[in-house]
């Protein structure tokens, strides 16, 4: 690699600089298509717990377009059996519902009607409720009995119709003292549970779904989102006046955008303008069932649903609608980025796919503006396009079905049955983590803990890894129990003998141990032990008694850096999941050294202003010596971590905390001892030093960015002269 | 001492000032430019038009009585109306008529009005723009709106010539129409075009040739979209306003192009069938400057029509701010000039009036006029195309790290395992062998040491040859990522209209952008690399993703090349490679390289999913079978295993897999090797099974043409080869049974000769 790569890298840097100045970046046609398996208008991905993208076979394939050719069957024309029907295409439809017989109901908002299609997409009827005409209906729900519920947005009401489309009830805004007067009641969607209770999604209602009883009486708000209250917010509350704070308080929880209900009665809500927990799976008590359930739960605190490709890093998903299939898989559609993401019933990502925006044409399988999404009994996805006024149908591919089948078994706990399926999935796509996880669970179930541990590691699942490791550790202990007992006995015997003989031995050899010279390296290194016992005195003697030298400090510093690196890279996967994707030690080390050097300089500068007695070299020596807990505890802790599981997490945390506390205390004592300060003075100087350090860092950044500008300027001048 | 130093300082200052003055003077000179070209002489275009003498072109359809016999061949008659320059072609034995204007029987029902109605009857539709006003939008016009007239209408030996004059907007476009034995050809003669102050953008000549509205007849438009696709005639279509307009041989990155994510047009053809008559149009000259434009019924008028849109200028987005991307649209300055732009319509009578007939006509054209030679005496077994990937790189901190996938020793073991399992007729395509692997372009040689180096590759090739297995090395050459080969992006990069070097931004955003190489430059590189390929003993180059696939105008003044020139350069490269090494393959190549190619790899087998397309057809495969070997996408990249295997049988394609050795590094984060699953161990059983099936079905017909392809029932397709060899494929979940023929669900049957196809 060496020379060649260095060479190419340098050229790359040069061309990258030049690029900044001269060229706009173009994505070129065809060229991006380095071997794409198919010309499907979208690409399907999986994203693992570390955010790494894995390309997968398509999970769903385009299966046709429905609903573009709708007759408004005149009642008269239908009854007389003539075919003379006028055609009225959909107009900005907003909602889609598929009943158990796969009939499709569309809330054709722009045409003030509900349209019913049969399972093949043929027009069946339209409902306008002539007795009390619908106005911009934007939500529709059909229950088992065939009763139709409509969120009649334009009339601010909910309408229930019987199976024939006759008006049963018209439920206006519920009258209740619990419903604030300021509450705007614009029903945009609704679902109905088995008891006939209606959960109405209202426009912009951050309070949650409006729950109504079958007669339209207000029961309460259901499943509200919570506002996050950050430290910064409490700081504002503390500092701001009441008026200022209230003006600032635009922080409302996100308004639920849509909801759905599954066979078991779980209610799912999806919220647009929030960063985490966009999907909720609520039980009857309104408790979210998703948090903590997924395999990567420990990696994803504050879980965000609705995936984006990783180059869309700074964007947040804007989920618009949600549907749940027979297996409990949750599919959500992102209305802005046009991405469809699918999760299983525990919230594990299965797939997501998205297409580029194309204005010049429309493609089968791609929706321009996804208004709503639904599942039918064949697990096909129907997506309503609010711009093109049609429905795109996607059917599960062979690969998608295989994954669904395998995952359903895993979710039911039938791990062994799932194994052959997951093996096939893994054969088709070696990088697809759910297959690894499925196989790992199967291996665990079959008590093949070694394999389970290995597979969980490859997939990056900490919980499973830790549990398999626990089993393996137990087995190891059991296997080696005899040996341990022998060692314990042997050690006991030795200690006993030592205790008896110690006295005699000391007399025999005590005075003959060679005393190292005061200034040898070894004695300076041994000074560390003084620091453990009497830290302040120890540092004092570094300053005034020459107990440390440059060589000894550098050795300790180097050892501390090495120990730090070892901790970062060597800590068990259980406590340091990043090792699974590989850790780059160079930036971490550079950061460590940078901060340490900055500290030495700033502390020396500050203390020399404030009557500190330490010279630069004393600060340097002292700051090196103060790092020794990293070596002393860090290395054993890291070693120990490999023998620990998540059950011992608190021990691990305690030991790491011990390193931090001891090091911090040592720094305080160091400042105290070297500069001859009191404890309070030392803390004061440390705070000042840290501020100085921050300022130095900021200055360096400014300098770098300014000099970059300068280089760019000179380069562009050069370009101008060369080109023109 | 100090004095001398002072003098030195002074001298330095003097030299510096002189230099600055000189540079300033030079810049002034450049700006002032006293020796620059004089203002070009403008022809007074207005004087060339004489409206008084000529009868303006009349709206409406030509009078069918006014047509006179102009030329005649064994099979066809050409009838022309001198008043309108419209023509009819009559097939003598059936009496079927193809008109260059809309069918008069249905014209009264035409729903288009105004300008569009006039344009539909015009023999020519032009689009132009006032290039001096960047806010002006382009205008599309026929002869009628511009008081246009016909000038110099002359009968010739085989047809006629005429010049279309547009006095109001000052354009003159000379054309000619000629009849031959089984075709009629229309040509635009670029040399005679007259332009006034406006700029000609594109021309559609006889756009409505053979057009018919959907009136319940069987009919379709054939598009060269992917492997080929059909827009069936329908009365109620979804999103009727959409049309198809794509550039032949792919979009040109040096200009603005509307992103459509469609498959590249590799074949410069289109066709239309209505009832039992059809035509296929082959763009025989100047096709790199053409678009294929299709307007299914209801989009523009009620006819279904499809035509070539000949490009004279292209739109360009001139950006003025790098940070905000602001800019404006402008157009390329000079007209694209090529001698002639010719569309040849082969007219297909009753039996041949479907897409297989069209494909056969195109195949005959390729054999007779393009020197494409059919496959001669193939080996007993079908070929198996084995793609191996040597290595790739992933992002590292300072250097990209190398990920080894297949060493040359691994390659030996893979090939011999497959050989021992009964796959004797293998062809190996080895990719990622170059320095730093698959994603690195530039300085391909020597073969990377880490997978075995030149020696390893040589020994692998020798080994393969001992089993009678040819080895192709895969290369791109149109990109340069590292500046090797003496490539300096500023000097040798492909430049767009604004002079900006074009960059390829990989899908994987970890990877740096790389530069496009000027065709003139990569020609030199390939030529100098050929001896290296030869030294390794390689049987040929497999051009992937670049040469024979990408046609971009190059504005780099050192290598200036129009689309036509780029096509020529690529043809030369392919020819030289073939001469030097003996063989060439290319992935999904444009058909201009067909005469030299021995194999087309990963030929498109799908369409672009436009909503107006009703069916995807194996048009390219029907043309190619028996001419060249071809494969579809690698089997281990299939979305759906069963369906796509059946498709490869239906399409007569040979099996191909992309594999790596057993001990490949973890390729998850590699730049380009995202392929789902490469490990040879995972696939070897499947390969054996698939090869055995495909070999049994396709071995007997390796050198035979496909004579028919049709849908027997939804999801049931039949492919018929010369001599009545039939393969019937059933994609459905249920068995297909009809007239004693039973095809099990998700399976196929083979019926040898005898029965009439």
């Amino acid at each position: 690699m060496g020379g060649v790569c260095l060479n190419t890298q340098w050229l790359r840097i040069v061309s990258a600089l030049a690029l900044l100045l001269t060229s706009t970046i173009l994505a070129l046609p065809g060229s991006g298509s380095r071997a794409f398996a198919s010309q499907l208008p979208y690409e399907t991905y999986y994203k693992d717990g570390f955010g790494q993208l894995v390309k997968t076979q398509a999970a769903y394939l385009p299966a046709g377009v429905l609903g573009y050719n709708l007759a408004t069957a005149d009642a008269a024309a239908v009854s007389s059996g003539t075919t003379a029907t006028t055609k009225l295409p959909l107009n900005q439809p907003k909602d889609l519902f598929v009943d158990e017989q796969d009939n499709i109901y569309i809330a054709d908002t722009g045409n003030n009607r509900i349209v019913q299609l049969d399972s093949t997409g043929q027009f069946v009827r339209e409902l306008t409720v002539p007795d009390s005409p619908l106005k911009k209906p934007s939500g529709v729900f059909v229950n088992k009995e065939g009763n139709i519920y409509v969120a009649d947005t334009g009339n601010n009401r909910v309408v229930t119709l019987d199976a024939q489309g006759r008006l049963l009830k018209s439920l206006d805004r519920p009258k209740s003292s619990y419903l604030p007067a300021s509450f705007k009641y614009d029903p945009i969607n609704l679902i109905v549970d088995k008891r006939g209770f209606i959960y109405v999604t209202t426009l912009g209602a951050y309070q949650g779904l409006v729950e109504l009883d079958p007669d339209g009486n207000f029961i309460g708000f259901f499943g509200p989102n919570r506002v996050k209250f950050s430290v910064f917010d409490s700081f504002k509350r503390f500092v701001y006046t009441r008026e200022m704070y209230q003006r600032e308080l635009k922080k409302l929880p996100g308004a639920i955008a849509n909801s759905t209900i599954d066979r078991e009665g779980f209610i799912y809500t999806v919220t647009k303008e929030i960063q985490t927990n966009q999907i909720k799976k609520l039980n009857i008590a309104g408790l979210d069932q998703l948090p903590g359930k997924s395999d990567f739960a420990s990696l994803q605190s504050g879980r965000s649903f609705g995936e984006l490709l990783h180059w869309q890093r700074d964007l947040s998903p804007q989920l618009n609608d949600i549907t749940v299939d027979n297996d409990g898989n949750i599919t959500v559609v992102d209305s802005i980025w046009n991405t469809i993401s699918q999760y299983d019933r525990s919230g594990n990502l299965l797939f997501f796919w998205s297409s580029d925006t194309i204005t010049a044409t429309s493609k089968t399988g791609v929706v321009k503006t996804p208004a709503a999404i639904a599942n039918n009994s064949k697990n096909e996805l129907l997506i309503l396009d609010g711009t093109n006024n049609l429905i795109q149908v996607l059917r599960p591919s062979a690969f998608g079905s295989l994954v669904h089948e395998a995952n359903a078994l895993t979710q039911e706990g039938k791990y062994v049955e799932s194994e052959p399926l997951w093996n096939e999935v893994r054969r088709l796509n070696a990088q697809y983590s759910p297959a690894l996880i499925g196989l790992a669970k199967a291996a665990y179930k079959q008590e093949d803990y070694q394999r389970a541990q290995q597979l969980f590691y490859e997939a990056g699942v900490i919980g499973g890894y830790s549990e398999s490791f626990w089993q393996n550790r137990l087995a190891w202990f059991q296997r080696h129990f005899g040996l341990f007992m022998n060692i314990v006995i042997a050690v006991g015997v030795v200690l006993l003998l030592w205790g008896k003989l110690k006295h005699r031995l000391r007399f025999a050899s005590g005075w003959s141990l060679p005393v190292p010279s005061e200034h040898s390296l070894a004695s300076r290194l041994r000074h560390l032990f003084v620091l453990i016992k009497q830290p302040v005195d120890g540092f004092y003697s570094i300053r005034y008694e020459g107990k440390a030298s440059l060589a000894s400090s550098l050795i300790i510093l180097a050892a501390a850096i090495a120990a730090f690196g070892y901790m970062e890279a060597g800590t068990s996967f259980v406590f340091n999941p990043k090792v699974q994707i590989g850790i780059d030690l160079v930036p971490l080390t550079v950061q460590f050294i940078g901060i340490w050097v900055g500290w030495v300089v700033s502390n020396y500068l500050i203390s020399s202003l404030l009557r500190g007695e330490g010279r630069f070299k004393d600060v340097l020596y002292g700051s090196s010596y103060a790092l020794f807990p990293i070596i002393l505890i860090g290395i054993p802790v890291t070693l120990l971590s490999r023998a620990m599981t998540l059950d011992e997490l608190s021990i691990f945390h305690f030991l790491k905390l011990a390193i931090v506390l001891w090091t911090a205390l040592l720094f305080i004592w160091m400042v105290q001892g070297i500069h001859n300060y009191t404890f309070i003075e030392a803390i004061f100087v440390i705070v000042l030093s840290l501020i100085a350090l921050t300022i130095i860092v900021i200055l360096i950044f400014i300098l770098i960015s300014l000099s970059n500008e300068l280089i760019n300027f000179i380069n562009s001048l050069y370009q101008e002269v060369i080109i023109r | 001492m100090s004095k001398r130093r002072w003098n030195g300082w002074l001298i330095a200052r003097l030299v510096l000032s002189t230099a600055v003055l000189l540079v300033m003077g030079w810049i002034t000179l450049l700006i002032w430019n006293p020796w620059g070209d004089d203002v070009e002489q403008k022809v007074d275009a207005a004087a060339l038009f004489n409206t008084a003498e000529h009868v303006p072109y009349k709206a409406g359809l030509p009078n069918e009585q006014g047509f006179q016999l102009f030329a005649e061949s064994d099979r066809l008659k050409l009838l022309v109306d001198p008043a309108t320059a419209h023509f009819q072609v009559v097939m003598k034995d059936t009496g079927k008529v193809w008109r260059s204007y809309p069918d008069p029987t249905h014209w009264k029902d035409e729903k288009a009005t105004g300008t569009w109605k006039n344009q539909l009857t015009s023999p020519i539709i032009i689009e132009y723009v006032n290039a001096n006003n960047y806010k002006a939008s382009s205008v599309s016009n026929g002869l009628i709106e511009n008081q246009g007239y016909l000038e110099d209408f002359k009968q010739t030996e085989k047809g006629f010539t005429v010049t279309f004059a547009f006095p109001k907007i000052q354009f003159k476009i000379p054309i000619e129409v000629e009849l031959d034995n089984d075709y009629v050809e229309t040509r635009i003669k670029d040399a005679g075009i007259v332009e006034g102050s406006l700029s000609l953008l594109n021309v559609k000549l006889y756009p409505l040739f053979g057009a018919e509205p959907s009136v319940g007849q069987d009919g379709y438009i054939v598009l060269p979209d992917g492997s080929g696709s059909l827009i069936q005639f329908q009365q109620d279509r979804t999103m009727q306003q959409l049309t198809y307009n794509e550039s032949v041989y792919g979009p040109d990155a040096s200009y603005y192009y509307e992103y459509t994510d469609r498959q590249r047009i590799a074949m410069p053809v289109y066709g239309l069938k209505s009832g039992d008559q059809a035509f296929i149009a082959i763009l025989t000259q100047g096709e790199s400057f053409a678009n294929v434009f299709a307007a299914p019924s209801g989009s523009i008028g009620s006819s279904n029509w499809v035509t070539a849109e000949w490009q004279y200028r292209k739109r360009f987005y001139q950006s003025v701010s790098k940070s905000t991307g602001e800019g404006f649209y402008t157009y390329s300055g000079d007209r694209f000039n090529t001698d002639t732009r010719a569309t040849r319509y082969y007219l297909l009578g009753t039996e041949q009036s479907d897409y297989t007939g069209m494909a056969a006509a195109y195949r005959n054209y390729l054999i007779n006029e393009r020197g494409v030679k059919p496959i001669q005496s193939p080996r007993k077994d079908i070929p198996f195309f084995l793609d191996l990937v040597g290595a790739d790189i992933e992002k590292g901190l300072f250097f990209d790290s190398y990920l080894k996938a297949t060493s040359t020793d691994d390659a030996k073991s893979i090939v011999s395992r497959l050989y021992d399992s009964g796959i004797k007729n293998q062809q190996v395509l080895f990719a990622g062998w170059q320095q730093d692997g698959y994603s690195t372009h530039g300085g391909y040689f020597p073969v990377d040491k880490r997978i075995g180096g030149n020696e390893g590759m040589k020994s692998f090739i020798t080994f393969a040859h001992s089993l009678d297995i040819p080895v192709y090395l895969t290369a791109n050459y149109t990109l340069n990522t590292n500046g090797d080969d003496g490539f300096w992006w500023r000097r040798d990069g492909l430049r767009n209209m604004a002079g900006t070097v074009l960059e390829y931004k990989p899908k994987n955003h970890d990877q740096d952008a790389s530069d496009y190489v000027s065709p003139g430059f990569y020609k030199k590189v390939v030529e100098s690399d050929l001896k290296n390929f030869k030294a390794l003993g390689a049987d040929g180059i497999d051009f992937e993703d670049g040469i024979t696939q990408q046609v971009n105008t190059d504005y780099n003044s050192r290598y200036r090349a129009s689309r036509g020139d780029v096509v020529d350069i690529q043809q030369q490269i392919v020819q030289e490679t073939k001469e030097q090494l003996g063989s060439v393959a290319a992935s999904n190549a444009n058909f201009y390289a067909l005469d030299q190619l021995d194999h087309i790899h990963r030929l498109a087998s799908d369409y672009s999913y436009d909503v107006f397309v009703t069916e995807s057809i194996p048009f390219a495969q029907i043309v190619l079978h028996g001419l060249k070997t071809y494969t579809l996408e690698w089997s281990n990249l299939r979305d759906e295993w069963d369906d796509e295997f059946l498709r490869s049988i239906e399409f007569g394609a040979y099996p191909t897999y992309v594999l790596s050795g057993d001990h490949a590094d973890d390729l998850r984060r590699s730049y380009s090797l995202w392929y789902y699953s490469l490990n040879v161990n995972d696939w070897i059983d499947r390969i054996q099974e698939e090869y055995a099936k495909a070999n049994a079905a396709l071995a007997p017909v390796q050198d035979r043409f496909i004579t028919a392809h049709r849908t027997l029932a939804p999801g049931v397709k039949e492919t018929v080869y010369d001599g009545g060899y039939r393969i019937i494929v059933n994609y459905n979940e249920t068995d297909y049974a009809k007239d004693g023929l039973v095809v099990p669900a998700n399976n196929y049957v083979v019926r040898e000769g005898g029965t009439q196809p």
Side-chain angles (χ1 to χ4, degrees), chain A residues 684-699:
Chain A
F684 179 65
V685 164
I686 285 171
V687 170
L688 282 185
S689 306
L690 291 178
I691 292 172
L693 178 62
T694 321
I695 292 169
I696 290 173
V697 170
I698 291 169
L699 283 177

Side-chain angles (χ1 to χ4, degrees), chain B residues 290-307:
Chain B
N291 278 22
V292 172
F293 180 89
S297 63
S299 57
I300 303 172
S302 45
S303 293
N304 295 281
W305 52 283
V306 54
T307 187

Side-chain angles (χ1 to χ4, degrees), chain A residues 16 21 83 96 114 155 173-174 190 233 249 293 341 353 379 406 415 452 496 577 653 667 699:
Chain A
L21 294 152
T83 50
L96 184 66
I114 302 296
N155 292 324
R173 179 190 166 103
L190 45 75
D233 289 326
L249 196 74
K293 288 277 167 60
S341 314
W353 61 96
N379 274 355
Y415 300 118
L496 216 64
H653 279 326
F667 269 90
L699 283 177

Side-chain angles (χ1 to χ4, degrees), chain A residues 351-367:
Chain A
F351 307 102
F352 71 102
W353 61 96
S354 69
S355 60
D356 299 322
T357 0
I358 295 167
T359 46
T361 185
S362 277
K363 302 211 171 190
T364 308
V366 176
V367 174

Side-chain angles (χ1 to χ4, degrees), chain A residues 308-623:
Chain A
L308 296 169
L309 292 171
H310 67 89
W311 46 88
Q312 302 171 325
R313 248 177 276 240
D314 304 330
L315 311 172
S316 61
Q318 298 289 320
L319 302 180
N320 197 38
D321 197 12
I322 183 166
T323 180
V324 178
D325 72 9
N326 299 336
D327 297 331
N329 297 319
I330 304 164
T331 311
V332 286
V333 61
D334 185 317
S335 57
I336 306 290
W337 310 113
N338 219 335
T339 305
I340 298 170
S341 314
Q342 189 170 57
Y343 303 86
D344 71 10
R345 64 167 75 177
S346 305
N348 292 305
L349 179 67
L350 293 176
F351 307 102
F352 71 102
W353 61 96
S354 69
S355 60
D356 299 322
T357 0
I358 295 167
T359 46
T361 185
S362 277
K363 302 211 171 190
T364 308
V366 176
V367 174
K368 282 259 155 92
T369 317
I373 184 166
N375 259 293
N376 66 16
S377 62
K378 290 177 277 183
N379 274 355
E380 289 173 335
L381 288 174
L382 287 80
I383 308 157
L384 183 66
D385 189 332
T387 302
N388 287 347
N389 300 320
L390 43 78
I391 297 169
Q392 295 277 3
V393 184
L394 300 174
R395 67 173 172 86
S397 71
F399 182 75
S401 305
L402 182 66
V403 170
H404 285 162
E405 203 183 329
N407 198 53
L409 290 172
T410 298
Q411 293 288 323
E412 288 166 31
K414 296 177 181 164
Y415 300 118
V416 182
E417 288 91 329
S418 75
E419 195 173 8
L421 301 179
W422 281 128
N423 268 325
E424 176 64 7
V425 173
R426 192 187 181 188
R427 197 180 67 78
L428 292 170
N429 192 337
Q431 316 281 16
Y432 187 63
S433 307
L436 298 178
I437 299 170
L439 288 172
K441 286 178 178 169
Y444 188 88
K445 176 81 178 182
Q446 288 160 306
E447 300 185 0
D448 183 353
Y449 300 118
Q450 294 289 351
R451 183 173 147 77
Q453 186 184 338
Q454 171 64 22
L455 286 167
F456 275 127
Y457 179 75
E458 279 176 42
V461 178
I462 299 165
Y465 175 86
S466 173
E467 277 167 40
S468 323
F469 180 69
W470 190 92
Q471 297 284 1
N472 287 327
R473 192 177 62 178
L474 181 71
W476 191 82
F477 272 125
Q478 282 169 346
R479 250 197 328 276
H480 296 99
F481 183 73
L483 181 66
F484 281 125
M485 284 320 288
N486 290 341
I487 291 174
V488 168
I489 291 166
V491 169
V493 168
V494 168
L495 284 178
L496 216 64
L497 287 175
W498 172 255
K500 294 214 163 158
L501 298 175
K502 195 167 61 178
H503 200 63
R504 245 178 279 169
L505 277 174
R506 190 174 280 173
F507 269 105
S509 61
W511 56 270
S512 67
L513 279 171
V515 179
S517 119
E518 270 282 288
H519 299 290
S520 76
L521 191 61
S523 79
R524 284 178 165 150
L525 289 176
R526 202 173 302 133
H527 187 64
L528 281 177
F529 296 104
V530 180
L531 289 179
I532 295 175
K533 286 180 222 155
Q534 292 147 337
V536 182
D537 295 347
F539 284 115
Y540 185 84
S541 57
I542 284 179
R543 166 67 182 85
Y544 294 101
E545 293 162 26
K547 292 281 185 192
S549 69
L550 188 63
S552 67
S553 326
L554 287 183
I555 286 170
I556 291 168
L557 177 65
I561 291 167
F564 171 76
Y566 178 61
M567 279 172 74
E568 287 293 329
T571 302
S572 154
F573 165 66
V574 175
F575 305 108
N576 190 16
K578 276 179 293 180
V579 297
Q580 203 261 356
I581 52 171
I583 282 185
D584 226 334
L585 278 180
V586 181
L588 290 170
T589 318
V590 168
Q591 218 177 349
F592 185 91
I593 298 174
I595 292 175
W596 185 84
V597 170
W599 154 262
V600 171
V601 171
S602 57
N603 181 255
Y604 168 69
L605 293 176
I606 294 294
S607 60
S608 58
L609 288 176
L610 294 173
R611 300 180 293 99
E613 293 172 14
R615 297 155 294 182
F616 182 74
K617 67 174 188 184
D618 303 321
V619 179
L620 187 97
Y621 298 168
S623 300

